[in-house]
Amino acid sequence: MGNCHTVGPNEALVVSGGCCGSDYKQYVFGGWAWAWWCISDTQRLSLEVMTILCRCENIETSEGVPLFVTGVAQVKIMTEKELLAVACEQFLGKNVQDIKNVVLQTLEGHLRSILGTLTVEQIYQDRDQFAKLVREVAAPDVGRMGIEILSFTIKDVYDKVDYLSSLGKTQTAVVQRDADIGVAEAERDAGIREAECKKEMLDVKFMADTKIADSKRAFELQKSAFSEEVNIKTAEAQLAYELQGAREQQKIRQEEIEIEVVQRKKQIAVEAQEILRTDKELIATVRRPAEAEAHRIQQIAEGEKVKQVLLAQAEAEKIRKIGEAEAAVIEAMGKAEAERMKLKAEAYQKYGDAAKMALVLEALPQIAAKIAAPLTKVDEIVVLSGDNSKVTSEVNRLLAELPASVHALTGVDLSKIPLIKKATGAQV
């Protein structure tokens, strides 16, 4: 069995399913429908008007002015069968707030895109046209969802850069200006009327004066006409004279200008030739010698460079050869001295005390020379003694003390030498 379901005009009832796997769907609003147990499903969708508040913040217009726009839209799900079926497919099972969010996103997107194509004046001064444009653009998109836009109005438009307030100040200034102009025009009209009244009063007085003045003017005009005719003829004659003189002066000046032009052309040609000559002269006297001098200096520098390099190489080779020769000499002298010292050591070792004695005897003349060196500065020595034997004894005493001094200095005993032993013994 089943149940009978009723629905009011503010809701839509959707009955789906049925016997034998039927995919038939029944859409009912403001009526009733039969639904089978277990094999049929019933769902409801609200048809009430939904109020949507659209806010677009800091959206730039076509002039780049950021605006904050708030709009209010009234929408509802359409009841035509095809459109109701579309709405049920998309929103059935969703609550009213979910439906509002979907429509809100669509409306705000179109509102932003339209704001970017309009100026601030178009948005602020003609809100109805702006709202109409939003409805026309957004209606097809929300219509494909089965939703109808009943109304869309602009609730508020403002900005944070004082652009709209500046527009208000401008309009206020325009109204104030128009008021001031109206007052001025009224005062002007009053003054004109007052002047007209005074004019009418004075017209009568001026009429008589005018007739008198007319007669006088006619006389003066006639007189002036005669004088003017005379002056014209005189001026024409004078002007013709001056004009002819100016023409002659113009011809003379033209001839002078032509002469100056020819002279100037000749001067330019002479200056051009002079420039060429000066250029060639500079090339011949400055540039060419400078290039030759630079080449000469360069060649000299190259030759000097090669010379210095060769001299340096020769000097290095000379120093190397001298060093090698000196090294060879030093090596030979070292070897000879080593050989001499070796032979001398062998001789000293072989002869013992006799060799040492020979060395001392060789050194005695040098020691004596060093001791007697101060006496070389003495011209003569005078020995004051009355006894000749005394001088002889002093010399003998010095010879006797000589072996002891040598033995103290060198450790060699000269008294063992027979000749010295004999000399010193005889003295003793």
Side-chain angles (χ1 to χ4, degrees), residues 2-17:
N3 290 328
C4 182
H5 297 272
T6 59
V7 65
N10 63 333
E11 281 187 321
L13 178 65
V14 181
V15 180
S16 57

mmCIF file with all atom_site columns, all heavy atoms in Angstrom, residues 2-17:
data_model
loop_
_atom_site.group_PDB
_atom_site.id
_atom_site.type_symbol
_atom_site.label_atom_id
_atom_site.label_alt_id
_atom_site.label_comp_id
_atom_site.label_asym_id
_atom_site.label_entity_id
_atom_site.label_seq_id
_atom_site.pdbx_PDB_ins_code
_atom_site.Cartn_x
_atom_site.Cartn_y
_atom_site.Cartn_z
_atom_site.occupancy
_atom_site.B_iso_or_equiv
_atom_site.pdbx_formal_charge
_atom_site.auth_seq_id
_atom_site.auth_comp_id
_atom_site.auth_asym_id
_atom_site.auth_atom_id
_atom_site.pdbx_PDB_model_num
ATOM 1   N N   . GLY A 1 2  ? 0.278  2.406  0.269  1.00 0.00 ? 2  GLY A N   1
ATOM 2   C CA  . GLY A 1 2  ? 1.028  3.636  0.237  1.00 0.00 ? 2  GLY A CA  1
ATOM 3   C C   . GLY A 1 2  ? 0.335  4.721  1.033  1.00 0.00 ? 2  GLY A C   1
ATOM 4   O O   . GLY A 1 2  ? -0.637 4.480  1.748  1.00 0.00 ? 2  GLY A O   1
ATOM 5   N N   . ASN A 1 3  ? 0.819  5.950  0.846  1.00 0.00 ? 3  ASN A N   1
ATOM 6   C CA  . ASN A 1 3  ? 0.266  7.107  1.546  1.00 0.00 ? 3  ASN A CA  1
ATOM 7   C C   . ASN A 1 3  ? -0.070 8.193  0.541  1.00 0.00 ? 3  ASN A C   1
ATOM 8   O O   . ASN A 1 3  ? 0.554  8.306  -0.526 1.00 0.00 ? 3  ASN A O   1
ATOM 9   C CB  . ASN A 1 3  ? 1.265  7.655  2.567  1.00 0.00 ? 3  ASN A CB  1
ATOM 10  C CG  . ASN A 1 3  ? 1.446  6.720  3.757  1.00 0.00 ? 3  ASN A CG  1
ATOM 11  O OD1 . ASN A 1 3  ? 0.488  6.028  4.134  1.00 0.00 ? 3  ASN A OD1 1
ATOM 12  N ND2 . ASN A 1 3  ? 2.640  6.699  4.317  1.00 0.00 ? 3  ASN A ND2 1
ATOM 13  N N   . CYS A 1 4  ? -0.971 9.067  0.957  1.00 0.00 ? 4  CYS A N   1
ATOM 14  C CA  . CYS A 1 4  ? -1.334 10.244 0.165  1.00 0.00 ? 4  CYS A CA  1
ATOM 15  C C   . CYS A 1 4  ? -0.648 11.447 0.809  1.00 0.00 ? 4  CYS A C   1
ATOM 16  O O   . CYS A 1 4  ? -0.883 11.753 1.977  1.00 0.00 ? 4  CYS A O   1
ATOM 17  C CB  . CYS A 1 4  ? -2.861 10.410 0.133  1.00 0.00 ? 4  CYS A CB  1
ATOM 18  S SG  . CYS A 1 4  ? -3.357 11.832 -0.878 1.00 0.00 ? 4  CYS A SG  1
ATOM 19  N N   . HIS A 1 5  ? 0.191  12.121 0.038  1.00 0.00 ? 5  HIS A N   1
ATOM 20  C CA  . HIS A 1 5  ? 0.966  13.266 0.535  1.00 0.00 ? 5  HIS A CA  1
ATOM 21  C C   . HIS A 1 5  ? 0.397  14.554 -0.053 1.00 0.00 ? 5  HIS A C   1
ATOM 22  O O   . HIS A 1 5  ? 0.115  14.628 -1.253 1.00 0.00 ? 5  HIS A O   1
ATOM 23  C CB  . HIS A 1 5  ? 2.445  13.136 0.142  1.00 0.00 ? 5  HIS A CB  1
ATOM 24  C CG  . HIS A 1 5  ? 3.117  11.944 0.745  1.00 0.00 ? 5  HIS A CG  1
ATOM 25  N ND1 . HIS A 1 5  ? 3.724  11.947 1.985  1.00 0.00 ? 5  HIS A ND1 1
ATOM 26  C CD2 . HIS A 1 5  ? 3.272  10.668 0.267  1.00 0.00 ? 5  HIS A CD2 1
ATOM 27  C CE1 . HIS A 1 5  ? 4.239  10.765 2.245  1.00 0.00 ? 5  HIS A CE1 1
ATOM 28  N NE2 . HIS A 1 5  ? 3.972  9.946  1.197  1.00 0.00 ? 5  HIS A NE2 1
ATOM 29  N N   . THR A 1 6  ? 0.239  15.560 0.819  1.00 0.00 ? 6  THR A N   1
ATOM 30  C CA  . THR A 1 6  ? -0.243 16.859 0.364  1.00 0.00 ? 6  THR A CA  1
ATOM 31  C C   . THR A 1 6  ? 0.863  17.885 0.553  1.00 0.00 ? 6  THR A C   1
ATOM 32  O O   . THR A 1 6  ? 1.739  17.746 1.406  1.00 0.00 ? 6  THR A O   1
ATOM 33  C CB  . THR A 1 6  ? -1.472 17.294 1.167  1.00 0.00 ? 6  THR A CB  1
ATOM 34  O OG1 . THR A 1 6  ? -1.125 17.363 2.560  1.00 0.00 ? 6  THR A OG1 1
ATOM 35  C CG2 . THR A 1 6  ? -2.618 16.310 0.972  1.00 0.00 ? 6  THR A CG2 1
ATOM 36  N N   . VAL A 1 7  ? 0.779  18.947 -0.238 1.00 0.00 ? 7  VAL A N   1
ATOM 37  C CA  . VAL A 1 7  ? 1.800  19.990 -0.199 1.00 0.00 ? 7  VAL A CA  1
ATOM 38  C C   . VAL A 1 7  ? 1.140  21.329 -0.467 1.00 0.00 ? 7  VAL A C   1
ATOM 39  O O   . VAL A 1 7  ? 0.202  21.432 -1.272 1.00 0.00 ? 7  VAL A O   1
ATOM 40  C CB  . VAL A 1 7  ? 2.919  19.697 -1.220 1.00 0.00 ? 7  VAL A CB  1
ATOM 41  C CG1 . VAL A 1 7  ? 2.400  19.743 -2.635 1.00 0.00 ? 7  VAL A CG1 1
ATOM 42  C CG2 . VAL A 1 7  ? 4.065  20.668 -1.047 1.00 0.00 ? 7  VAL A CG2 1
ATOM 43  N N   . GLY A 1 8  ? 1.600  22.365 0.220  1.00 0.00 ? 8  GLY A N   1
ATOM 44  C CA  . GLY A 1 8  ? 1.059  23.695 0.029  1.00 0.00 ? 8  GLY A CA  1
ATOM 45  C C   . GLY A 1 8  ? 1.656  24.391 -1.186 1.00 0.00 ? 8  GLY A C   1
ATOM 46  O O   . GLY A 1 8  ? 2.574  23.878 -1.834 1.00 0.00 ? 8  GLY A O   1
ATOM 47  N N   . PRO A 1 9  ? 1.167  25.619 -1.485 1.00 0.00 ? 9  PRO A N   1
ATOM 48  C CA  . PRO A 1 9  ? 1.681  26.341 -2.666 1.00 0.00 ? 9  PRO A CA  1
ATOM 49  C C   . PRO A 1 9  ? 3.097  26.871 -2.498 1.00 0.00 ? 9  PRO A C   1
ATOM 50  O O   . PRO A 1 9  ? 3.700  27.328 -3.459 1.00 0.00 ? 9  PRO A O   1
ATOM 51  C CB  . PRO A 1 9  ? 0.675  27.476 -2.819 1.00 0.00 ? 9  PRO A CB  1
ATOM 52  C CG  . PRO A 1 9  ? 0.122  27.692 -1.459 1.00 0.00 ? 9  PRO A CG  1
ATOM 53  C CD  . PRO A 1 9  ? 0.079  26.343 -0.814 1.00 0.00 ? 9  PRO A CD  1
ATOM 54  N N   . ASN A 1 10 ? 3.623  26.850 -1.280 1.00 0.00 ? 10 ASN A N   1
ATOM 55  C CA  . ASN A 1 10 ? 4.980  27.363 -1.054 1.00 0.00 ? 10 ASN A CA  1
ATOM 56  C C   . ASN A 1 10 ? 6.028  26.264 -1.047 1.00 0.00 ? 10 ASN A C   1
ATOM 57  O O   . ASN A 1 10 ? 7.181  26.483 -0.710 1.00 0.00 ? 10 ASN A O   1
ATOM 58  C CB  . ASN A 1 10 ? 5.036  28.119 0.264  1.00 0.00 ? 10 ASN A CB  1
ATOM 59  C CG  . ASN A 1 10 ? 4.745  27.207 1.442  1.00 0.00 ? 10 ASN A CG  1
ATOM 60  O OD1 . ASN A 1 10 ? 4.048  26.206 1.284  1.00 0.00 ? 10 ASN A OD1 1
ATOM 61  N ND2 . ASN A 1 10 ? 5.251  27.547 2.630  1.00 0.00 ? 10 ASN A ND2 1
ATOM 62  N N   . GLU A 1 11 ? 5.633  25.035 -1.410 1.00 0.00 ? 11 GLU A N   1
ATOM 63  C CA  . GLU A 1 11 ? 6.563  23.925 -1.469 1.00 0.00 ? 11 GLU A CA  1
ATOM 64  C C   . GLU A 1 11 ? 6.299  23.098 -2.713 1.00 0.00 ? 11 GLU A C   1
ATOM 65  O O   . GLU A 1 11 ? 5.201  23.107 -3.259 1.00 0.00 ? 11 GLU A O   1
ATOM 66  C CB  . GLU A 1 11 ? 6.424  23.024 -0.235 1.00 0.00 ? 11 GLU A CB  1
ATOM 67  C CG  . GLU A 1 11 ? 7.115  23.547 1.016  1.00 0.00 ? 11 GLU A CG  1
ATOM 68  C CD  . GLU A 1 11 ? 7.077  22.528 2.127  1.00 0.00 ? 11 GLU A CD  1
ATOM 69  O OE1 . GLU A 1 11 ? 6.037  21.862 2.280  1.00 0.00 ? 11 GLU A OE1 1
ATOM 70  O OE2 . GLU A 1 11 ? 8.089  22.383 2.838  1.00 0.00 ? 11 GLU A OE2 1
ATOM 71  N N   . ALA A 1 12 ? 7.330  22.365 -3.118 1.00 0.00 ? 12 ALA A N   1
ATOM 72  C CA  . ALA A 1 12 ? 7.196  21.433 -4.233 1.00 0.00 ? 12 ALA A CA  1
ATOM 73  C C   . ALA A 1 12 ? 7.469  20.040 -3.704 1.00 0.00 ? 12 ALA A C   1
ATOM 74  O O   . ALA A 1 12 ? 8.454  19.819 -2.981 1.00 0.00 ? 12 ALA A O   1
ATOM 75  C CB  . ALA A 1 12 ? 8.154  21.789 -5.352 1.00 0.00 ? 12 ALA A CB  1
ATOM 76  N N   . LEU A 1 13 ? 6.594  19.083 -4.064 1.00 0.00 ? 13 LEU A N   1
ATOM 77  C CA  . LEU A 1 13 ? 6.720  17.694 -3.654 1.00 0.00 ? 13 LEU A CA  1
ATOM 78  C C   . LEU A 1 13 ? 7.202  16.883 -4.841 1.00 0.00 ? 13 LEU A C   1
ATOM 79  O O   . LEU A 1 13 ? 6.641  16.966 -5.934 1.00 0.00 ? 13 LEU A O   1
ATOM 80  C CB  . LEU A 1 13 ? 5.376  17.152 -3.158 1.00 0.00 ? 13 LEU A CB  1
ATOM 81  C CG  . LEU A 1 13 ? 5.370  15.682 -2.741 1.00 0.00 ? 13 LEU A CG  1
ATOM 82  C CD1 . LEU A 1 13 ? 6.259  15.449 -1.531 1.00 0.00 ? 13 LEU A CD1 1
ATOM 83  C CD2 . LEU A 1 13 ? 3.939  15.223 -2.485 1.00 0.00 ? 13 LEU A CD2 1
ATOM 84  N N   . VAL A 1 14 ? 8.262  16.118 -4.608 1.00 0.00 ? 14 VAL A N   1
ATOM 85  C CA  . VAL A 1 14 ? 8.835  15.294 -5.673 1.00 0.00 ? 14 VAL A CA  1
ATOM 86  C C   . VAL A 1 14 ? 8.668  13.841 -5.248 1.00 0.00 ? 14 VAL A C   1
ATOM 87  O O   . VAL A 1 14 ? 9.189  13.427 -4.195 1.00 0.00 ? 14 VAL A O   1
ATOM 88  C CB  . VAL A 1 14 ? 10.314 15.623 -5.916 1.00 0.00 ? 14 VAL A CB  1
ATOM 89  C CG1 . VAL A 1 14 ? 10.860 14.767 -7.047 1.00 0.00 ? 14 VAL A CG1 1
ATOM 90  C CG2 . VAL A 1 14 ? 10.498 17.100 -6.208 1.00 0.00 ? 14 VAL A CG2 1
ATOM 91  N N   . VAL A 1 15 ? 7.917  13.069 -6.085 1.00 0.00 ? 15 VAL A N   1
ATOM 92  C CA  . VAL A 1 15 ? 7.710  11.648 -5.839 1.00 0.00 ? 15 VAL A CA  1
ATOM 93  C C   . VAL A 1 15 ? 8.463  10.893 -6.917 1.00 0.00 ? 15 VAL A C   1
ATOM 94  O O   . VAL A 1 15 ? 8.195  11.072 -8.120 1.00 0.00 ? 15 VAL A O   1
ATOM 95  C CB  . VAL A 1 15 ? 6.217  11.290 -5.857 1.00 0.00 ? 15 VAL A CB  1
ATOM 96  C CG1 . VAL A 1 15 ? 6.040  9.802  -5.589 1.00 0.00 ? 15 VAL A CG1 1
ATOM 97  C CG2 . VAL A 1 15 ? 5.456  12.116 -4.828 1.00 0.00 ? 15 VAL A CG2 1
ATOM 98  N N   . SER A 1 16 ? 9.397  10.048 -6.505 1.00 0.00 ? 16 SER A N   1
ATOM 99  C CA  . SER A 1 16 ? 10.198 9.287  -7.462 1.00 0.00 ? 16 SER A CA  1
ATOM 100 C C   . SER A 1 16 ? 10.129 7.811  -7.126 1.00 0.00 ? 16 SER A C   1
ATOM 101 O O   . SER A 1 16 ? 9.899  7.435  -5.975 1.00 0.00 ? 16 SER A O   1
ATOM 102 C CB  . SER A 1 16 ? 11.649 9.773  -7.445 1.00 0.00 ? 16 SER A CB  1
ATOM 103 O OG  . SER A 1 16 ? 12.191 9.663  -6.134 1.00 0.00 ? 16 SER A OG  1
ATOM 104 N N   . GLY A 1 17 ? 10.339 6.962  -8.130 1.00 0.00 ? 17 GLY A N   1
ATOM 105 C CA  . GLY A 1 17 ? 10.271 5.527  -7.949 1.00 0.00 ? 17 GLY A CA  1
ATOM 106 C C   . GLY A 1 17 ? 8.851  5.013  -8.221 1.00 0.00 ? 17 GLY A C   1
ATOM 107 O O   . GLY A 1 17 ? 7.923  5.764  -8.547 1.00 0.00 ? 17 GLY A O   1
#
